[in-house]
Amino acid sequence: MEKIVSLCKRRGFVFQSSEIYGGLASTYDYGHYGVLLKSNVKAEWWRSVVQERDDVVALDAAILMHPRTWEASGHLEGFTDPLVQCLGKCKRRWREDHLREAQPEGDLHCPECGGDLSEPRNFNLMFETHMGPVQDEGSQVFLRPETAQGIFVNFKNVMQFARKKPPFGIAQVGKAFRNEITPGNFVFRTREFEQMEIEFFVPPGEAPEWHGRWMEERMNWYTSLGMRSDHLQLRKHGADELSHYSSATSDIEYLFPMGWSELEGIANRGDFDLTQHAKFSREKLDFVDPGTGDRYVPHVIEPSAGADRGTLAFMVDAYDEEEIEGRERVVLRFHPRLAPVKVAVLPLVNKDGQPEKAREVYTDLRKRMSAEFDTGGSIGKRYRRQDEIGTPWGVTVDHQTMEDDTVTLRDRDSLDQSRIAIAELGTELERRLAAPWTSPKLG
Ligand code: GAP
């Protein structure tokens, strides 16, 4: 993880938030390549769950919602972690359930200084703020701790206006906020993060089948984007782990540097949410089948992924080091569709008309895909930089280019170099971008 964090900083993927003030704990800002990478992850998610299906539609709900939402959803009451505080020297706060996993026997003690711990108290993870100029109880609102509730409260609107009937889903990407007691592991667990969630509404009898289908669908999404299948697993929650709304949940886990950890949860939420919102809002949130006249509250299958956690997993999976001709090379072997930059155009030398020619090639290519033009430093140094940001292809303009309008095309993973006419370059790169891809790290 340290190597990933350092590469992220060195190449401008992710920075500590408010760094000039000493940073804000566990809060991060994405720089240029980080933004491009994360937006590619989100774009691939949209492509697979909306564009390539005809039973899921998109939504973008507000972060601030009516406070009753959180009463109905159970978050006001139950979205808590058991918090204990060190009564010894360090006074640090810990999650009791995490400590219990690490110290299964006997009385718990502070892992930092060994001190005794306070009695646990339930700590609500929702951030609260106030709406309008008066800060009283009536103006209290919450930053949403999940995007899901924005979908449930729009169920009726979407069903009417998108002319959908179960089985159908609503997909949303957006920020969520949780006042985590123990954030950590870089962008794995933060207090402000992005989720990519689908609420898929089905006739009650079909819920177990759709749960299975979505588990398969979502596992395939990660592997189709090159994630190594031997670093992915599905883990079914035990009865003691289930959230208050869930009758069955399985997590897709990835083998992060700190061990197997949750990447995405796929829950069968039953009719919990629609029933609760119908009760609290007094709106009917059921579905009447126009064919049979049957009336029912749809059940919900929820594949809920983290955009930041997914981006981190794709980075960890892509990170590689190798020795080439006695020199170490660090390379991010991203699936080309995820790579922040698809192609770098580099003049071999900074003279003889090569920079001007390379700029022409670059100006053409960037209309078709994310491209970079770089003249700074030796060609080897420029390639090392592109390898570190995971650019799959490099184009070198050299003296032969000036004679026959061909360039060298270098492949990031195999390091193969081939000669190609400039006129064919864009089409060839688009063909490669669309082709199936397997991580060379799979061996
Ligand atoms: N609506 C269901 C829900 O929110 P969750 O398991 O609490 O379920 C879903 O969150 C996903 O959101 C997780 O699998 C993870 O990828 C991401 N996530 C949750 N908490 C996070 C945090 N503090 N930091 C980064 N990502 C987080």
Side-chain angles (χ1 to χ4, degrees):
M1 192 67 96
E2 271 166 33
K3 286 181 175 176
I4 301 278
V5 175
S6 132
L7 172 61
C8 280
K9 171 110 206 251
R10 188 165 75 243
R11 293 300 180 198
F13 280 85
V14 179
F15 310 111
Q16 175 76 64
S17 163
S18 321
E19 203 175 56
I20 60 167
Y21 290 104
L24 182 65
S26 300
T27 316
Y28 295 94
D29 299 341
Y30 286 78
H32 181 67
Y33 297 124
V35 172
L36 296 180
L37 174 63
K38 185 156 73 139
S39 58
N40 290 342
V41 170
K42 291 185 282 182
E44 289 301 326
W45 184 88
W46 279 120
R47 181 215 290 268
S48 104
V49 307
V50 173
Q51 184 186 321
E52 291 177 355
R53 306 179 64 100
D54 50 20
D55 56 1
V56 180
V57 294
L59 179 77
D60 186 3
I63 287 173
L64 298 175
M65 300 181 66
H66 195 289
R68 293 275 283 168
T69 307
W70 309 112
E71 282 178 54
S73 69
H75 282 83
L76 213 49
E77 185 75 14
F79 195 54
T80 56
D81 279 340
L83 173 76
V84 287
Q85 187 171 13
C86 171
L87 302 171
K89 237 195 264 159
C90 76
K91 308 280 184 258
R92 279 188 63 174
R93 293 182 171 84
W94 305 94
R95 268 180 66 169
E96 190 209 22
D97 50 336
H98 286 179
L99 292 189
R100 182 58 68 195
E101 279 165 27
Q103 304 170 26
E105 306 290 329
D107 285 347
L108 295 177
H109 55 265
C110 175
E112 184 80 6
C113 70
D116 290 340
L117 296 169
S118 68
E119 284 300 309
R121 73 177 169 89
N122 281 336
F123 171 77
N124 196 299
L125 301 188
M126 283 200 293
F127 278 100
E128 61 175 79
T129 184
H130 291 269
M131 207 165 202
V134 183
Q135 296 206 0
D136 59 15
E137 216 173 276
S139 68
Q140 188 187 38
V141 288
F142 298 93
L143 302 188
R144 66 180 177 199
E146 60 172 13
T147 63
Q149 299 304 323
I151 298 182
F152 295 126
V153 302
N154 276 292
F155 167 74
K156 207 170 153 187
N157 277 340
V158 173
M159 197 163 58
Q160 270 169 10
F161 292 103
R163 292 183 295 125
K164 293 284 177 205
K165 56 181 216 161
F168 82 98
I170 304 177
Q172 170 162 233
V173 174
K175 287 258 171 147
F177 302 82
R178 294 181 190 176
N179 199 359
E180 301 276 4
I181 299 169
T182 45
N185 283 315
F186 197 35
V187 296
F188 179 84
R189 181 172 285 109
T190 50
R191 296 192 171 103
E192 173 180 346
F193 54 96
E194 257 184 305
Q195 289 187 313
M196 309 187 287
E197 297 202 295
I198 306 160
E199 307 303 328
F200 199 78
F201 302 93
V202 300
E206 295 178 20
E209 185 199 333
W210 278 105
H211 193 206
R213 280 205 219 176
W214 273 108
M215 286 192 259
E216 196 183 329
E217 181 83 14
R218 295 301 304 145
M219 280 291 268
N220 288 344
W221 183 75
Y222 291 102
T223 51
S224 74
L225 289 169
M227 202 175 271
R228 289 166 294 169
S229 48
D230 57 355
H231 281 55
L232 281 168
Q233 70 181 18
L234 257 180
R235 190 183 65 80
K236 198 166 178 242
H237 280 207
D240 56 332
E241 278 180 276
L242 291 174
S243 314
H244 60 280
Y245 50 74
S246 169
S247 61
T249 296
S250 286
D251 285 343
I252 296 181
E253 296 187 331
Y254 179 76
L255 188 53
F256 284 97
M258 66 279 189
W260 288 103
S261 310
E262 176 186 340
L263 194 51
E264 168 162 353
I266 303 164
N268 180 348
R269 295 180 76 122
D271 63 359
F272 176 82
D273 303 274
L274 290 182
T275 304
Q276 284 292 101
H277 286 301
K279 192 165 126 199
F280 278 72
S281 67
R282 299 206 185 98
E283 285 277 345
K284 280 209 165 82
L285 297 178
D286 46 15
F287 171 72
V288 186
D289 192 313
T292 61
D294 282 354
R295 177 185 286 273
Y296 62 84
V297 178
H299 282 210
V300 172
I301 304 302
E302 177 195 64
S304 171
D308 307 87
R309 212 174 266 189
T311 301
L312 177 63
F314 281 116
M315 281 201 96
V316 168
D317 208 66
Y319 185 91
D320 207 3
E321 292 171 356
E322 64 182 359
E323 204 179 286
I324 295 190
E325 290 163 4
R327 302 186 72 150
E328 196 200 43
R329 174 169 94 124
V330 171
V331 52
L332 288 179
R333 301 190 192 278
F334 288 128
H335 188 296
R337 288 213 307 270
L338 292 184
V341 176
K342 313 299 180 202
V343 58
V345 185
L346 316 171
L348 184 63
V349 292
N350 246 327
K351 55 182 185 181
D352 303 335
Q354 288 182 23
E356 293 75 12
K357 186 73 181 174
R359 183 168 267 287
E360 264 175 46
V361 175
Y362 157 69
T363 308
D364 252 16
L365 280 178
R366 74 176 180 193
K367 293 180 193 138
R368 304 170 82 154
M369 63 193 68
S370 159
E372 256 190 23
F373 171 69
D374 188 2
T375 57
S378 72
I379 191 83
K381 207 167 147 198
R382 280 178 277 159
Y383 269 129
R384 275 203 297 287
R385 184 172 170 277
Q386 293 300 330
D387 288 339
E388 285 203 354
I389 62 169
T391 306
W393 302 296
V395 166
T396 317
V397 167
D398 54 20
H399 63 277
Q400 196 181 327
T401 313
M402 309 311 288
E403 287 163 16
D404 64 3
D405 266 348
T406 64
V407 288
T408 307
L409 180 55
R410 171 196 187 258
D411 184 275
R412 173 196 69 201
D413 299 321
S414 64
L415 293 174
D416 282 348
Q417 304 224 16
S418 52
R419 204 82 207 164
I420 180 168
I422 291 173
E424 289 165 21
L425 196 54
T427 311
E428 171 58 16
L429 292 180
E430 278 170 356
R431 186 193 66 73
R432 291 188 186 193
L433 260 178
W437 186 87
T438 314
S439 169
K441 285 177 77 181
L442 267 177

